[in-house]
Amino acid sequence: MAYSNGANDNFQGVATLFGSRTTSYQTAILWATFTTLAGAVAATFLASTLVKNFSGKGLLPDAIANTPEFHIAVAIAAGLTVLIAALMGFPISTTHSLAGAIIGPGLVAIGLKVNFTALGTSFILPLLLSPIIAISLGAVIYSLSNYINSKFKLPVNQKMIDTCHFISAGIISFARGLNDTPKIVSLILIIEYFSIRGGMITIAIAMALGGLLNSQKVAITMSTKITSMNHPQGLSANIVTGVLVIAASLFGLPVSTTYVSVASIFGVGVIAKKVNMWVFYQIVLSWLLTLPTAAIISGITYRLLQA
């Protein structure tokens, strides 16, 4: 599960660095790996709320959420869903995959008695609102920067822009590690060997390996296929993504870094009038299919493990 998460998500923070040709793919993924690890370590102190959210408690009865079959089914289903998407080049949400994988065993075990209200308020609502906010802010930030530059004729310091771009990419990757690590570690806490902190470090290492070895196709989709971008556009998208994901982590809201990052890039591309709508529609379709796919795989796996 953690490896799949790294393969699909690790490049998202640095996609604009590569897409705007600020740096090479190799430098971008190494920077993403280092800063994601830093965020994962910080999560052991700052993001404990998300561990509870993704343990299944509150959505399902404890008699289900505390069983090994449930945790194994969730990990297998979410991991497969995210890895398949990564190999196909679709940047989907690990958060969304986990939500679907948590619901699958519940539907098998107790049917419609699953707490759908908690699912909507704790998972679905933040996931739906985050890309809408990101598209709007991405468009506003880039438009504002264009207006300021044209109004005041500010001198362009390319080295300063590139430095800020690297910092913003590092912040996003740090925020992703901070936000995603607790979601995955909740699945292994049933194993008595792992403490929360030990589990988070283990998950962080697996995430790093996934990003280093299998993030190329998602990197191409996010960096070049949604929109072509220059340095100011990339920086604008990164600022929006970093602010939203860090705020969500601090408040314990399970937003998707994927949705926020893709939506920010899309919002900037709309203003620049260079968006590839066909690619964006394909990505949105993959988002819509994520939850039911993970739920079906998880439900089948849970039933097989009970046999």
Side-chain angles (χ1 to χ4, degrees):
M1 174 67 232
Y3 181 95
S4 300
N5 173 270
N8 197 284
D9 291 10
N10 270 17
F11 202 81
Q12 291 164 11
V14 297
T16 58
L17 281 176
F18 180 50
S20 62
R21 299 298 183 264
T22 300
T23 191
S24 65
Y25 171 83
Q26 289 79 9
T27 301
I29 191 60
L30 287 174
W31 180 233
T33 301
F34 172 77
T35 48
T36 299
L37 275 171
V41 172
T44 64
F45 304 99
L46 300 175
S48 58
T49 302
L50 286 174
V51 175
K52 180 180 178 181
N53 285 349
F54 282 85
S55 65
K57 296 180 179 179
L59 292 175
L60 309 174
D62 288 352
I64 298 173
N66 288 334
T67 62
E69 294 88 353
F70 169 76
H71 286 254
I72 293 170
V74 171
I76 289 174
L80 278 177
T81 302
V82 174
L83 184 60
I84 290 169
L87 295 176
M88 295 177 66
F90 289 115
I92 67 168
S93 167
T94 299
T95 307
H96 216 163
S97 300
L98 281 169
I102 288 171
I103 291 301
L107 292 175
V108 169
I110 59 175
L112 297 180
K113 294 181 181 179
V114 172
N115 190 343
F116 287 103
T117 301
L119 176 69
T121 56
S122 297
F123 295 91
I124 303 300
L125 190 59
L127 288 171
L128 290 177
L129 289 179
S130 56
I132 295 172
I133 295 171
I135 289 174
S136 303
L137 286 180
V140 168
I141 293 295
Y142 181 56
S143 299
L144 184 61
S145 67
N146 276 346
Y147 173 78
I148 292 173
N149 285 333
S150 62
K151 183 75 173 179
F152 299 102
K153 300 287 190 290
L154 299 177
V156 177
N157 185 327
Q158 193 59 51
K159 186 175 182 180
M160 178 68 72
I161 291 176
D162 290 348
T163 299
C164 291
H165 201 163
F166 263 94
I167 292 172
S168 67
I171 290 172
I172 293 170
S173 296
F174 178 90
R176 200 191 72 73
L178 185 70
N179 196 269
D180 280 7
T181 306
K183 302 171 189 174
I184 303 173
V185 80
S186 62
L187 299 176
I188 64 172
L189 292 183
I190 196 170
I191 304 172
E192 293 182 2
Y193 174 79
F194 286 102
S195 64
I196 289 181
R197 292 186 179 180
M200 285 190 180
I201 296 300
T202 305
I203 294 303
I205 293 171
M207 285 166 58
L209 287 174
L212 289 171
L213 299 178
N214 276 114
S215 64
Q216 294 88 345
K217 288 192 176 181
V218 169
I220 291 172
T221 298
M222 293 197 64
S223 300
T224 63
K225 290 187 176 182
I226 298 174
T227 182
S228 58
M229 66 186 90
N230 57 30
H231 300 276
Q233 290 167 347
L235 178 58
S236 298
N238 273 17
I239 290 172
V240 171
T241 303
V243 169
L244 288 180
V245 174
I246 288 177
S249 297
L250 295 177
F251 286 100
L253 298 174
V255 303
S256 166
T257 309
T258 305
Y259 289 5
V260 173
S261 183
V262 169
S264 299
I265 292 172
F266 178 78
V268 167
V270 167
I271 298 301
K273 299 180 180 179
K274 294 187 292 185
V275 172
N276 187 330
M277 293 301 300
W278 172 240
V279 170
F280 185 69
Y281 289 148
Q282 287 180 309
I283 292 173
V284 171
L285 178 61
S286 72
W287 292 355
L288 294 175
L289 293 175
T290 297
L291 194 148
T293 300
I296 291 170
I297 296 174
S298 182
I300 293 172
T301 304
Y302 180 72
R303 177 59 75 198
L304 290 174
L305 289 172
Q306 287 184 315

